[in-house]
Amino acid sequence: MTSVIPQNPTSQSVAALLPKLHDADSDFRYMSLNDLFNTLNAGHQGFLQNDYNTCARTVDGLLKTLDDRNGEVQNLAVKCLGPLVLKVPAEILAPLIEKLSNLTTQNSVDISIPATALRTIVSSFPRPVYGLPPSKASQDAYSAISKVLVPRLVGYVVIPHGLKNQPEPPRGMLQADTENRLDSDAIDVLTEVARCFGPMLQDVEIRALQKALSEILENDKLGSVVKKKTVVAISILAAYFSDGLLSSFVSELIESFRSSHLTLVKRRLLITTVGSLARSVPQRFGPYLKTIAPFVLSALSEQELDEAMEDIAEDGEPNPQVEELREVALVALEGFLASCSSDMRAYTQDSINAALRYVDHDPNIANEDDEEMGGTQSAEDDEAETDGFDNEVDEDFEEEEGLSDDDDVSWKVRRCAAKVLYTIISTRGSGDLLEDGTLYQKIAPVLVSRFKEREENVRLEVLATLSTLVRKTGENMDVSTASFIDDSNNFASSIPQSRKRRRGGSDASMFDTQAAVSLSTGVTSPVTPPFPISGPRADLAKLSPVLLDGIAKLLKGSPNTTKQAAVSLLKDVVRVQHGGISEYLNQIMDPLVDAIKNSNTLAGGPPAVSAGAAGSATGSTLRTEALALVSAIAETHASSVLLPYAGKVVPGVVSAVRDKYYKVSSEALGAAEQVVKALTPPRSPVADQKHQTHLESLYHVIVNRVTANDADVEVRQRAIHALGVLLARTSGAEGAKLVSSSKRLAALEVLHDRLNNETTRLSAVRAIDTVSALALDKKDFKSVWVRSVSLELGAQLRKADRTLRGASLGALKNLVVNPAGHANLDDKTTQALVEVLSPILNANDLHLLGLALIILAKLVKGNAKKVVNDDMNTALCTMILAPLGGAVLDAFLILLRNIGEQGVGKPVMQGLLKDVGVTGDPTVVGKAIGTLLVSGGSSVGVSIDDFAAELQTAQDDQRKCLALSILGEAGLRMGSSSPLQPSLFMSHFKSKSDHVPLAAAVALGRAGAGNVGNFLPVILSAMDDGSSSQYLLLHSVKEILQSAGDARADVALYSQQLWEKLIAASQTEDNKAVGAECLGRLAMNDPKTYLPLLQNYLKDPNATVRGMVIQAMRYTFADSDETFDHVLKPVVIGTLTTMLNDLDLENRRLALTALNSATHNKPEIILPDLYQLLPLVMKESVVKPELVREVQMGPFKHKVDDGLEVRKCSYETLYALMETAFSRINIVDFFDRVIAGLGDEHDIRVLCNLMLTKLIILDPEETVRRLDAIAERFRIILSFKPKENAVKQEVEKAQEASKGVLRVSVQLNNAFPAVIGPAISGQNQTWRSYWEWVKKDYSGQIHSIEQEVRNQNV
């Protein structure tokens, strides 16, 4: 039977299909239902609204087909109910629900069909949105549910709805019959009602449903399936409990716990219930844990364990119900710790003890050696212990599993205990428990002892928990320690410039390619950093012997899943300790190489269900993980340690590189790269025959992967990078002994060829960059290759891909700057390079401009006449009009200096004077002209006297400012030979101009930095006058201190006098900021003398003085050297604590900015003790009512929050700490402040939105736990509507706030799509409701944001 569904069906279209529903042929019935389903979906919203007869007949027909013998017909009938209830009149809904709730199937085997139909109807109804008025459609749907379905569920009329003498409904669907039977599907119906219409249910209805569910829980004769569904229903319904109802329900649970007739089954059910409530409503349930947690912990107590063991001794076998009780207690405990972390802090030790008690609970095996693993042991203890370990781990795992009885469920208890420990480490591993040694001294030894676990799932959970602990330790490493760790993906051109410009630094670093690229190619042999005396890393070091011994045993004869988890754990240990396993390589290398070579090992054992790294281990994933471990070992251990194993490792890596699976091959190439670094000088000073053989093997397989067109693109790109490292590390005379000249030249041609290929071009550019930077001999290249590669790199500068352009220019810079490459440049190539660089000489891309200027500065030397031409001069004069600064300005001045030194600066000088002059920034132009003036001398056609005369004769302010800037720069560069005198500059301090006095002060300081002995005494003498020029003189002093460089010794002669005058001059409000900077810079010159003085001033009773000192300290954090850091380190935490506790509000704000600067610029001395400062920062983020005052503004009253700026600074500091020290922040407290900030002022909300986007990545688990709280805050923001008379700024703020919330909502939805799925428990129900509302009411904006996010990802 085929039929065409009309585009605009009518009620007659539906009526025509109804007779076939009663056909004897099931196929006709099915096809009719299918047509009916399509017709109902195609019809408009009201096409059945006025045809009650057809609606009634349709309902009767569907009810009949629900009792069909054919299951497919039944399912399709249920499916039709969804669109039907959206099209029929509201008056039909209540009778339909009533008929369905009373439907008894006679012909169907499946008795759940009526309940399934009810759930379909409820879920299809238009749903209300929590917090907003319901629509008419959702109100009609709720009315039908309230009138019919709720009474049918509970068995009596809950709300009369104005009807009198209503007949009593039959026995409730949630009420057991006389034989204590209850259809569990009825609970599913209630769950759907609560999930979809919870916001509309009235309190009396919620109480009635809760009472019905409680009666089910109290009925001891009902089955476990019914009870489990009841617990889920309660957890979902609990989100809508009033505070009173929740309190009374929890009180009932507590009384049940206290009952003297409490059975094991009842106790298990109660614990399951409280565990689900903790996940469902954590914020509201948390306060009750003070009473409830002891009941759960008592089920895990040592006393009950001893009693159970006594029963086992008597009966001969464990009681399964006792094991199930322990399992649910551990699951509930995990829920408490994960969802209510703050409330569970009082029970931390109890929770740890309970988990440790049961993580090794195995009643089938007597654990005689457990006590030996309970703490840090001596060498003798270790020997004694490993005997017992060997007996269990070295045997085949299949034999061990034979010990397990099918009825034994104790492994579930052990797995749940391991999960509890995992949760404790996850939530508390960034704070006190890690720092005070609890995690390592109590938990870690027990976890290691469980490596002998006979059940695979438990063993994987143990390994995953230990891996988490080790990673948490790595997150808390000092920055100084972390810097030992190499990043193999860095390239020479991508070495970041330091954010700090060290005083007295030179521009030599711009041309030092060897030092820069050594960071990324492992030039120096790694050294394991010394372990601290105390702290997490010291604890890990103490645990390492027994931990590594256990891992070594797991790598022998274990299933693949265990091997992979063990390898992953070992890799974490290597990375965190930066090596430290050299003594165990003899045990580890053989099984590790076997795992790398053998691609077909698929060991037996159950599939892993752990969240750990070995969740789904296969031969390929094990090989990939093993190769990553080899890479880490080679990267972090000295070459002398690795060389004995090279004969085993290299063949294994070579075979893995040839593997067809791209992930294995790609990871193998990464390992090959690290092995190359270990085998080549200077890390490995010996270049013998064995080294050459190994490197030739690696060379051939790498080149083969580079040239193989059938290889995956990722593999070829990784191989190109490895080839670049191989060529870079075998440069020079020593390298020639390892890789022959012919092979080297052939490999360079391969790189040139890959440079012409679109898919591998960027990788080839970066490889050439590395080779160019580390080249030691001009014989490493051929002039023809250098010319062709240089021109090809130059050609890439015209491409649209900015990443490619930047990498190409970086490679070109290293090729030109390195003497080995520069020696192969001929005049023709040089001229060609100047031509390709000319289009970049503009301010459109300052990053590219800086690199281009460095290249030209190098080319100018020795070949100036061919490089410097009219086009370049014009470009230089044009770009100086742009706002140049930082490294770009430094490179520009270096180029001008080189041009001047080569005697070709006259045209540039003329252009700067005629074409630029006063049109540019006088400060920048003055530096350029001053640099060229001094370096070019007489060749530039003007002298310093000309500018001195110009200063005296110029009439307009712009010319005077420019002349002053030129003279100041010239004085700085000429030093003591400068003819300039202080009076020349100070005579302009009293100018009536707004700009000239400050320009004169800056010029005085720059000139004084070049001739301290002549200028500084005059400045100090003038400061005694106390006149208005004092502010200008402070600027001069600042310039001297900032630009003195090598003349700091000259400044030191006057430092005491300068300190006293700075303290006196900085007392006034106008001078405080610049005076503070001067004090900070002076303290950096002599920290041992002046840092204690600054500390003393923090106790000054004058708030202004304390504020000045706080600002001075902030400047020292931003720009100081290692000498200062050495003096600062012992006192910095105490100093910051004093600053953050200042009584003055403004000073606390300044202190927060100082801490922000310190964490950015001096993380290595701040982060280890950051935990002392974080509580002070978080305290400032709390709204203080005493700082909110009411101000009368005309007829209106306006609230002013004096603490807003401090709170804003506090949140800015917390945001900054996410970048540098997130692992040291207690995530529970931090998230509390973020969620609180979502309800604060606009600027703070914006910051908190940014924090949430980062938290999605940094801590997804805690973010999921907080989704409900986030949803509540977001709903308030989106529901806020500005008043009609609101000003434009307020309206724009509200719109911006809404857009920001929607953007974060989309990101959260994309990050956690599973949370939005069907609710299987009460967890995240508020978020699901919120997201459904947002999708409906803000669909257009959501679609636009989602499209924008997709475009950004592309």
Side-chain angles (χ1 to χ4, degrees):
M1 181 181 71
T2 59
S3 60
V4 178
I5 305 302
Q7 292 184 353
N8 296 303
T10 62
S11 59
Q12 287 77 14
S13 305
V14 174
L17 298 171
L18 298 180
K20 293 292 185 180
L21 297 180
H22 306 284
D23 197 282
D25 191 336
S26 61
D27 289 340
F28 278 91
R29 298 196 300 274
Y30 180 86
M31 294 303 295
S32 298
L33 284 170
N34 187 59
D35 291 341
L36 177 61
F37 177 75
N38 293 329
T39 301
L40 291 171
N41 280 318
H44 61 82
Q45 195 69 26
F47 84 110
L48 290 178
Q49 289 290 326
N50 297 318
D51 195 338
Y52 287 84
N53 182 43
T54 301
C55 291
R57 291 173 56 209
T58 305
V59 168
D60 291 339
L62 289 177
L63 289 174
K64 181 174 178 59
T65 52
L66 286 174
D67 193 21
D68 201 282
R69 291 186 179 88
N70 189 294
E72 293 182 355
V73 173
Q74 284 182 306
N75 293 335
L76 195 52
V78 171
K79 199 175 176 182
C80 288
L81 290 171
L84 177 67
V85 296
L86 298 176
K87 306 296 170 64
V88 298
E91 294 79 5
I92 298 289
L93 298 179
L96 171 59
I97 293 175
E98 184 176 8
K99 290 179 179 179
L100 274 176
S101 63
N102 291 312
L103 178 65
T104 303
T105 55
Q106 302 293 332
N107 302 316
S108 172
V109 177
D110 187 359
I111 61 173
S112 67
I113 285 294
T116 304
L118 283 172
R119 288 166 52 202
T120 300
I121 289 176
V122 173
S123 62
S124 300
F125 280 146
R127 301 180 190 178
V129 176
Y130 185 79
L132 295 180
S135 63
K136 184 180 184 305
S138 59
Q139 186 65 52
D140 292 338
Y142 163 71
S143 178
I145 291 173
S146 179
K147 289 177 180 177
V148 179
L149 188 53
V150 172
R152 279 293 293 117
L153 287 170
V154 299
Y156 57 91
V157 177
V158 180
I159 301 177
H161 291 284
L163 302 175
K164 297 181 179 179
N165 300 322
Q166 283 183 274
E168 284 295 321
R171 178 180 58 84
M173 298 168 66
L174 295 175
Q175 293 176 325
D177 59 17
T178 54
E179 298 179 4
N180 281 306
R181 291 180 303 180
L182 177 68
D183 185 5
S184 65
D185 296 317
I187 303 174
D188 295 333
V189 175
L190 185 152
T191 301
E192 201 66 30
V193 170
R195 188 174 70 86
C196 298
F197 286 89
M200 293 186 71
L201 291 174
Q202 298 183 40
D203 187 59
V204 63
E205 293 173 315
I206 294 175
R207 286 181 178 274
L209 294 173
Q210 178 266 322
K211 181 181 178 183
L213 293 173
S214 296
E215 290 173 354
I216 295 175
L217 291 179
E218 292 169 2
N219 191 331
D220 296 332
K221 297 183 180 180
L222 294 175
S224 60
V225 175
V226 174
K227 299 290 183 67
K228 287 179 181 179
K229 288 188 175 184
T230 303
V231 171
V232 173
I234 286 178
S235 68
I236 293 178
L237 189 64
Y240 308 103
F241 281 6
S242 64
D243 292 339
L245 179 57
L246 180 62
S247 177
S248 62
F249 180 63
V250 172
S251 298
E252 291 175 9
L253 294 176
I254 293 172
E255 290 302 318
S256 299
F257 272 119
R258 291 172 175 166
S259 172
S260 57
H261 304 290
L262 188 62
T263 63
L264 285 175
V265 176
K266 179 68 173 177
R267 191 179 182 191
R268 186 177 74 231
L269 184 61
L270 291 172
I271 291 175
T272 305
T273 304
V274 295
S276 65
L277 285 176
R279 289 183 167 88
S280 174
V281 284
Q283 291 178 309
R284 299 172 61 200
F285 185 75
Y288 296 103
L289 285 176
K290 184 178 181 181
T291 306
I292 289 179
F295 293 117
V296 177
L297 290 167
S298 67
L300 305 169
S301 65
E302 188 171 3
Q303 178 185 351
E304 295 205 9
L305 177 61
D306 293 340
E307 293 174 357
M309 297 305 292
E310 291 175 2
D311 293 340
I312 293 175
E314 294 177 3
D315 300 339
E317 59 182 21
N319 185 350
Q321 290 188 350
V322 174
E323 302 294 350
E324 290 173 4
L325 173 64
R326 292 167 179 162
E327 181 188 357
V328 299
L330 287 165
V331 170
L333 185 59
E334 181 194 359
F336 294 167
L337 293 166
S339 304
C340 311
S341 301
S342 301
D343 301 284
M344 281 296 292
R345 289 201 175 187
Y347 300 100
T348 299
Q349 291 304 323
D350 293 334
S351 302
I352 292 174
N353 293 336
L356 293 178
R357 190 173 296 124
Y358 287 98
V359 76
D360 61 356
H361 170 66
D362 195 346
N364 289 347
I365 295 178
N367 292 319
E368 298 176 357
D369 300 325
D370 284 350
E371 291 300 321
E372 299 179 22
M373 300 295 294
T376 304
Q377 300 155 318
S378 64
E380 291 79 4
D381 293 332
D382 290 340
E383 291 296 329
E385 174 201 74
T386 52
D387 292 338
F389 195 94
D390 282 334
N391 292 337
E392 300 208 21
V393 179
D394 286 349
E395 296 175 2
D396 188 67
F397 274 90
E398 293 181 3
E399 294 179 9
E400 289 186 348
E401 289 175 359
L403 297 172
S404 176
D405 185 14
D406 291 339
D407 297 330
D408 177 31
V409 294
S410 65
W411 68 271
K412 295 182 181 180
V413 176
R414 297 195 298 277
R415 185 181 64 179
C416 289
K419 287 184 177 181
V420 170
L421 295 175
Y422 175 88
T423 302
I424 291 172
I425 293 171
S426 298
T427 55
R428 304 286 296 280
S430 299
D432 54 339
L433 294 186
L434 186 63
E435 296 294 337
D436 66 13
T438 300
L439 298 183
Y440 272 106
Q441 293 171 14
K442 292 193 67 174
I443 295 178
V446 178
L447 289 174
V448 174
S449 73
R450 294 314 302 163
F451 284 0
K452 61 187 177 184
E453 170 63 52
R454 60 194 175 87
E455 193 69 36
E456 178 78 355
N457 289 332
V458 183
R459 194 163 54 243
L460 290 176
E461 201 66 53
V462 168
L463 289 167
T465 304
L466 257 178
S467 289
T468 303
L469 175 57
V470 174
R471 285 195 296 271
K472 288 287 184 181
T473 306
E475 291 172 359
N476 283 273
M477 281 198 302
D478 296 347
V479 176
S480 56
T481 301
S483 64
F484 280 91
I485 297 177
D486 178 31
D487 181 4
S488 61
N489 293 324
N490 284 344
F491 302 95
S493 63
S494 60
I495 302 300
Q497 295 286 337
S498 172
R499 78 165 66 89
K500 293 181 281 187
R501 296 177 59 196
R502 298 293 186 189
R503 292 172 293 120
S506 69
D507 49 70
S509 61
M510 295 185 180
F511 301 94
D512 186 5
T513 60
Q514 301 287 334
V517 81
S518 67
L519 295 174
S520 65
T521 52
V523 168
T524 57
S525 193
V527 178
T528 302
F531 295 114
I533 300 174
S534 61
R537 290 191 64 243
D539 295 334
L540 176 59
K542 294 174 184 176
L543 181 73
S544 290
V546 64
L547 173 63
L548 294 172
D549 191 61
I551 292 175
K553 291 177 174 61
L554 287 177
L555 292 176
K556 301 172 185 177
S558 305
N560 266 16
T561 47
T562 296
K563 282 185 179 179
Q564 183 171 326
V567 168
S568 178
L569 172 58
L570 184 56
K571 182 181 67 175
D572 291 333
V573 172
V574 171
R575 292 233 175 250
V576 170
Q577 294 191 148
H578 194 67
I581 67 166
S582 54
E583 297 178 4
Y584 296 87
L585 289 180
N586 58 342
Q587 301 180 50
I588 292 170
M589 276 302 181
D590 286 339
L592 195 58
V593 172
D594 289 341
I596 292 173
K597 285 183 177 179
N598 195 350
S599 60
N600 298 317
T601 47
L602 285 173
V609 294
S610 168
S616 55
T618 63
S620 296
T621 57
L622 175 58
R623 294 182 77 194
T624 303
E625 201 68 30
L627 287 164
L629 175 56
V630 168
S631 180
I633 292 173
E635 181 182 356
T636 56
H637 287 78
S639 298
S640 58
V641 175
L642 298 171
L643 293 181
Y645 307 99
K648 298 177 181 178
V649 172
V650 171
V653 171
V654 168
S655 67
V657 170
R658 294 195 181 104
D659 198 273
K660 293 182 180 180
Y661 184 45
Y662 77 98
K663 287 188 177 180
V664 173
S665 183
S666 178
E667 195 63 54
L669 285 164
E673 182 181 321
Q674 296 301 332
V675 172
V676 166
K677 294 176 185 179
L679 295 177
T680 50
R683 266 188 66 177
S684 179
V686 181
D688 57 17
Q689 184 62 37
K690 290 183 179 179
H691 286 59
Q692 184 180 8
T693 303
H694 295 324
L695 286 172
E696 282 189 357
S697 300
L698 293 170
Y699 170 88
H700 287 300
V701 75
I702 291 172
V703 170
N704 176 266
R705 292 286 86 187
V706 173
T707 56
N709 292 324
D710 60 339
D712 188 86
V713 174
E714 179 185 333
V715 173
R716 278 186 286 166
Q717 291 174 346
R718 197 81 181 260
I720 289 169
H721 183 250
L723 182 59
V725 171
L726 175 60
L727 295 177
R729 295 301 299 272
T730 54
S731 177
E734 289 296 321
K737 298 177 184 178
L738 299 172
V739 175
S740 64
S741 177
S742 59
K743 286 188 174 69
R744 180 179 185 81
L745 295 176
L748 289 173
E749 288 301 325
V750 170
L751 289 181
H752 186 203
D753 180 65
R754 294 293 93 186
L755 186 61
N756 295 318
N757 187 293
E758 188 70 33
T759 59
T760 58
R761 180 171 291 144
L762 181 59
S763 300
V765 168
R766 288 171 168 164
I768 291 170
D769 184 3
T770 306
V771 174
S772 303
L774 282 182
L776 300 175
D777 192 336
K778 69 176 184 178
K779 296 180 182 178
D780 289 341
F781 305 116
K782 283 187 175 181
S783 298
V784 175
W785 186 86
V786 172
R787 181 188 307 116
S788 58
V789 166
S790 300
L791 297 178
E792 187 64 35
L793 291 173
Q796 307 311 315
L797 302 180
R798 298 192 295 268
K799 298 294 177 64
D801 187 345
R802 187 175 184 273
T803 303
L804 177 61
R805 283 187 286 135
S808 300
L809 197 55
L812 194 57
K813 172 215 153 190
N814 282 329
L815 189 60
V816 171
V817 168
N818 192 324
H822 188 78
N824 287 283
L825 292 175
D826 53 26
D827 293 346
K828 186 176 180 181
T829 305
T830 300
Q831 288 181 332
L833 287 177
V834 173
E835 291 177 5
V836 298
L837 291 174
S838 295
I840 304 176
L841 299 181
N842 55 65
N844 294 337
D845 192 326
L846 294 180
H847 173 67
L848 298 183
L849 175 60
L851 292 172
L853 291 172
I854 294 172
I855 296 172
L856 291 172
K858 182 67 175 179
L859 294 176
V860 163
K861 288 187 174 182
N863 211 352
K865 293 184 179 179
K866 288 186 170 58
V867 175
V868 181
N869 52 39
D870 293 341
D871 291 338
M872 179 182 289
N873 293 335
T874 303
L876 293 175
C877 293
T878 303
M879 76 175 70
I880 202 173
L881 297 174
L884 302 182
V888 177
L889 179 58
D890 292 342
F892 182 82
L893 295 178
I894 293 169
L895 175 58
L896 287 180
R897 186 193 66 193
N898 290 354
I899 290 174
E901 290 174 349
Q902 297 299 314
V904 291
K906 187 173 182 179
V908 184
M909 179 64 80
Q910 291 176 349
L912 291 173
L913 293 174
K914 293 180 181 179
D915 301 332
V916 180
V918 297
T919 58
D921 181 358
T923 303
V924 177
V925 177
K927 286 184 178 181
I929 296 176
T931 301
L932 190 58
L933 176 67
V934 176
S935 62
S938 59
S939 65
V940 296
V942 290
S943 67
I944 195 169
D945 295 334
D946 296 329
F947 293 104
E950 174 74 11
L951 176 60
Q952 302 300 331
T953 58
Q955 299 298 316
D956 60 293
D957 295 343
Q958 285 290 94
R959 292 185 182 277
K960 285 185 179 182
C961 291
L962 178 58
L964 285 165
S965 180
I966 294 170
L967 292 171
E969 189 68 22
L972 172 65
R973 293 183 177 273
M974 292 179 73
S976 59
S977 62
S978 170
L980 303 175
Q981 296 299 319
S983 58
L984 177 66
F985 303 99
M986 296 175 68
S987 61
H988 294 275
F989 278 9
K990 295 183 179 180
S991 172
K992 297 180 180 179
S993 168
D994 293 335
H995 304 290
V996 171
L998 186 58
V1002 173
L1004 174 64
R1006 291 190 71 78
N1011 193 354
V1012 174
N1014 189 23
F1015 277 71
L1016 190 53
V1018 176
I1019 294 172
L1020 292 175
S1021 177
M1023 290 180 71
D1024 290 334
D1025 298 342
S1027 60
S1028 58
S1029 63
Q1030 202 171 61
Y1031 173 77
L1032 299 173
L1033 291 170
L1034 286 172
H1035 276 280
S1036 300
V1037 172
K1038 184 189 79 171
E1039 287 295 328
I1040 290 175
L1041 294 172
Q1042 186 174 354
S1043 308
D1046 295 332
R1048 281 182 290 172
D1050 297 333
V1051 176
L1053 299 175
Y1054 306 92
S1055 58
Q1056 184 59 39
Q1057 185 182 359
L1058 184 57
W1059 175 269
E1060 294 171 358
K1061 293 186 182 298
L1062 287 174
I1063 290 292
S1066 302
Q1067 299 289 328
T1068 60
E1069 189 65 31
D1070 292 340
N1071 295 347
K1072 185 171 73 171
V1074 65
E1077 184 174 355
C1078 292
L1079 287 170
R1081 294 192 180 280
L1082 186 57
M1084 287 188 288
N1085 280 347
D1086 190 0
K1088 292 183 180 179
T1089 302
Y1090 296 111
L1091 198 55
L1093 293 178
L1094 284 177
Q1095 287 181 278
N1096 291 336
Y1097 276 111
L1098 286 174
K1099 303 173 184 176
D1100 194 284
N1102 189 338
T1104 302
V1105 174
R1106 298 197 305 272
M1108 175 189 66
V1109 174
I1110 292 172
Q1111 290 188 71
M1113 292 296 297
R1114 184 181 63 187
Y1115 286 116
T1116 66
F1117 295 143
D1119 189 8
S1120 57
D1121 54 21
E1122 287 73 15
T1123 304
F1124 181 83
D1125 293 352
H1126 182 72
V1127 180
L1128 178 67
K1129 187 173 183 179
V1131 299
V1132 63
I1133 299 300
T1135 303
L1136 286 168
T1137 302
T1138 303
M1139 292 158 56
L1140 290 168
N1141 282 318
D1142 197 282
L1143 298 177
D1144 186 78
L1145 198 63
E1146 174 62 15
N1147 285 352
R1148 292 205 300 275
R1149 186 190 70 79
L1150 293 173
L1152 287 168
T1153 62
L1155 174 59
N1156 199 340
S1157 175
T1159 53
H1160 266 91
N1161 298 291
K1162 303 200 178 296
E1164 65 277 4
I1165 63 176
I1166 297 294
L1167 298 189
D1169 299 299
L1170 187 64
Y1171 66 93
Q1172 299 181 39
L1173 303 174
L1174 272 173
L1176 300 176
V1177 178
M1178 291 192 179
K1179 183 178 72 172
E1180 296 300 335
S1181 68
V1182 178
V1183 178
K1184 297 180 174 61
E1186 65 271 16
L1187 296 178
V1188 180
R1189 53 192 172 88
E1190 205 169 63
V1191 178
Q1192 190 78 28
M1193 299 180 65
F1196 305 103
K1197 290 184 178 179
H1198 179 64
K1199 285 188 177 181
V1200 176
D1201 188 351
D1202 293 328
L1204 176 59
E1205 291 302 317
V1206 178
R1207 286 206 311 282
K1208 196 185 301 183
C1209 273
S1210 175
Y1211 276 101
E1212 288 171 354
T1213 304
L1214 291 174
Y1215 179 73
L1217 288 172
M1218 293 181 72
E1219 298 281 350
T1220 56
F1222 181 76
S1223 61
R1224 296 180 179 274
I1225 300 174
N1226 186 300
I1227 187 59
V1228 176
D1229 297 338
F1230 183 81
F1231 234 121
D1232 288 342
R1233 299 318 311 149
V1234 172
I1235 291 176
L1238 291 173
D1240 211 316
E1241 295 294 328
H1242 175 73
D1243 292 340
I1244 295 176
R1245 286 203 303 267
V1246 171
L1247 272 174
C1248 290
N1249 282 336
L1250 292 174
M1251 290 181 185
L1252 282 176
T1253 60
K1254 289 183 177 294
L1255 286 166
I1256 292 172
I1257 307 299
L1258 294 173
D1259 198 335
E1261 293 180 357
E1262 187 66 23
T1263 305
V1264 170
R1265 297 184 193 115
R1266 302 294 185 122
L1267 282 177
D1268 286 353
I1270 294 170
E1272 291 174 0
R1273 295 289 185 178
F1274 279 3
R1275 193 189 299 276
I1276 294 171
I1277 296 171
L1278 292 175
S1279 303
F1280 173 76
K1281 305 298 180 187
K1283 297 178 181 178
E1284 294 182 1
N1285 59 348
V1287 295
K1288 181 181 178 182
Q1289 289 83 351
E1290 291 296 325
V1291 176
E1292 290 176 350
K1293 274 187 179 181
Q1295 292 173 347
E1296 184 183 345
S1298 297
K1299 187 174 181 181
V1301 163
L1302 292 174
R1303 180 178 295 278
V1304 179
S1305 300
V1306 169
Q1307 290 177 290
L1308 287 166
N1309 175 59
N1310 292 342
F1312 313 113
V1315 176
I1316 315 300
I1320 58 174
S1321 69
Q1323 195 171 5
N1324 301 127
Q1325 187 170 341
T1326 304
W1327 172 262
R1328 280 189 286 269
S1329 172
Y1330 161 77
W1331 179 248
E1332 290 172 1
W1333 167 60
V1334 166
K1335 283 199 302 182
K1336 178 181 178 182
D1337 286 23
Y1338 298 89
S1339 56
Q1341 292 168 269
I1342 290 292
H1343 177 75
S1344 175
I1345 293 171
E1346 287 176 339
Q1347 185 62 41
E1348 186 179 333
V1349 170
R1350 281 194 293 269
N1351 293 338
Q1352 288 175 350
N1353 292 337
V1354 172

